[in-house]
Amino acid sequence: MNISSMIKLTVSMAIFGSIGFFTTQTGLPAVELVFIRCICATVFLGTLWLLTGGHKTEKWDKREVIKTCICGIFIVLNWVFLFKAFEVMSISIAISIYNLAPIFVLMLGAVFSAEKMGVRSILATVVCFFGSILIIGIDSFTSVSQFMNSGVLWAFLSAVCYALTMFTSKTIKGLSSYALTFIQTTVGIIMLLPLCDFTAFTGLTQVNWLYILGTGFIHTGFVYYLFFDSIRDLPTVIVSVLVFVDPVVAILLDAILLQFRPSLLQIFGILLIFASILYTVFYPEQQIKKVIPDT
């Protein structure tokens, strides 16, 4: 087991878990914050790509570049929707819904790749959605306006876009991690430039700018470097476990620094979601089938 890679991945996920707290301290709306984030990540990762000489050995394929651009659109929308969710709802609730992405990947596979969802996968999906309803609260569904203003829609859209990112990126094999991320963040800059309200940057304090640059260079640039540098040397099962450091840190920071106090139903809902996702990760349908002896 590569201990160094495990430490890198753990650190990257722990840092990323604080992004919700950082976002609430930046003083910027979602679109403008993601725009700055894309600029910082492009500069940071592009510089590393040049310094390591990776740009000289990069193998470019037209189809893969197009897929990467599409993937970039999904990942940027994922960030925008997640940050908009942070603006109007608890970080813990937003992160819990956001982590439904692996379940959405299963559903996308069933629709677009003819991958059958077995009874266990369907049950896990139902349990996840039931857990989501518990943490959101029944009150959020009493009217359309309450539902739209609760941030639930933004959190679900962020999870869907993250799932689309994972689903699309599975087919990209030839590009390096640096090229992949550089293209994606460049797409983000182009996408968000015409939508960006530059008056949002006026009146920001030095503290705001520290959090903004931290979100850009640390949470995007540095974390992505650690993440991509570590996952190549680790088994999928280890990566699947360590990725859960992110929501754990996010929920702890929400409780400690922002005084989020979930109700018993919300705690139960959060546990249902993560238990179902862990079950799906460690006991996929094909793995279960292998365990059953032939009759």
Side-chain angles (χ1 to χ4, degrees):
M1 186 65 64
N2 192 322
I3 301 299
S4 173
S5 293
M6 285 183 66
I7 293 171
K8 285 180 182 178
L9 183 58
T10 304
V11 170
S12 70
M13 289 296 97
I15 295 173
F16 194 75
S18 66
I19 195 169
F21 173 73
F22 269 63
T23 300
T24 61
Q25 308 300 310
T26 61
L28 279 180
V31 170
E32 287 71 26
L33 181 56
V34 175
F35 179 70
I36 290 291
R37 188 181 183 189
C38 286
I39 292 174
C40 293
T42 302
V43 170
F44 184 89
L45 293 167
T47 302
L48 280 180
W49 190 33
L50 291 171
L51 290 176
T52 56
H55 63 293
K56 296 177 182 178
T57 57
E58 198 68 51
K59 295 179 181 178
W60 299 99
D61 179 83
K62 185 178 179 181
R63 286 187 177 181
E64 292 225 324
V65 171
I66 293 171
K67 287 178 183 177
T68 304
C69 289
I70 294 170
C71 194
I73 293 170
F74 290 142
I75 200 168
V76 170
L77 289 175
N78 149 46
W79 290 340
V80 170
F81 292 143
L82 181 61
F83 291 172
K84 286 186 78 67
F86 287 155
E87 290 174 1
V88 292
M89 71 192 312
S90 159
I91 291 170
S92 297
I93 294 176
I95 284 292
S96 299
I97 297 172
Y98 178 69
N99 278 277
L100 288 171
I103 298 295
F104 289 138
V105 171
L106 273 179
M107 295 168 71
L108 286 169
V111 174
F112 295 107
S113 301
E115 297 175 5
K116 292 183 179 179
M117 286 182 69
V119 175
R120 291 175 177 84
S121 296
I122 293 171
L123 181 61
T125 304
V126 171
V127 171
C128 273
F129 279 106
F130 179 66
S132 300
I133 291 171
L134 289 181
I135 66 170
I136 294 164
I138 302 299
D139 293 342
S140 298
F141 297 92
T142 54
S143 70
V144 174
S145 60
Q146 274 189 310
F147 178 78
M148 295 299 291
N149 294 327
S150 66
V152 175
L153 182 62
W154 299 126
F156 269 115
L157 285 173
S158 70
V160 170
C161 287
Y162 185 37
L164 286 167
T165 300
M166 290 191 287
F167 190 73
T168 307
S169 62
K170 283 167 65 176
T171 62
I172 303 170
K173 306 292 183 183
L175 291 176
S176 70
S177 300
Y178 287 126
L180 189 73
T181 312
F182 182 82
I183 294 171
Q184 289 172 342
T185 52
T186 302
V187 166
I189 295 171
I190 297 168
M191 270 179 65
L192 298 178
L193 181 59
L195 303 174
C196 199
D197 178 11
F198 291 96
T199 60
F201 296 98
T202 59
L204 295 173
T205 66
Q206 288 184 342
V207 173
N208 289 143
W209 276 108
L210 283 174
Y211 281 109
I212 290 167
L213 295 176
T215 302
F217 285 108
I218 298 173
H219 289 99
T220 312
F222 183 60
V223 164
Y224 270 55
Y225 167 73
L226 288 178
F227 181 80
F228 287 127
D229 195 48
S230 59
I231 58 173
R232 298 174 186 270
D233 304 317
L234 294 173
T236 303
V237 65
I238 297 297
V239 174
S240 299
V241 173
L242 294 182
V243 161
F244 277 86
V245 172
D246 165 16
V248 169
V249 170
I251 292 170
L252 286 175
L253 287 178
D254 195 19
I256 296 168
L257 299 179
L258 300 177
Q259 283 79 49
F260 172 66
R261 296 294 179 265
S263 65
L264 287 175
L265 281 178
Q266 286 177 319
I267 293 171
F268 184 54
I270 291 170
L271 290 175
L272 281 179
I273 287 175
F274 290 115
S276 296
I277 294 169
L278 281 169
Y279 181 79
T280 305
V281 168
F282 289 109
Y283 297 98
E285 207 69 34
Q286 61 266 29
Q287 181 177 323
I288 294 169
K289 287 177 182 176
K290 288 179 183 177
V291 175
I292 301 174
D294 293 331
T295 54

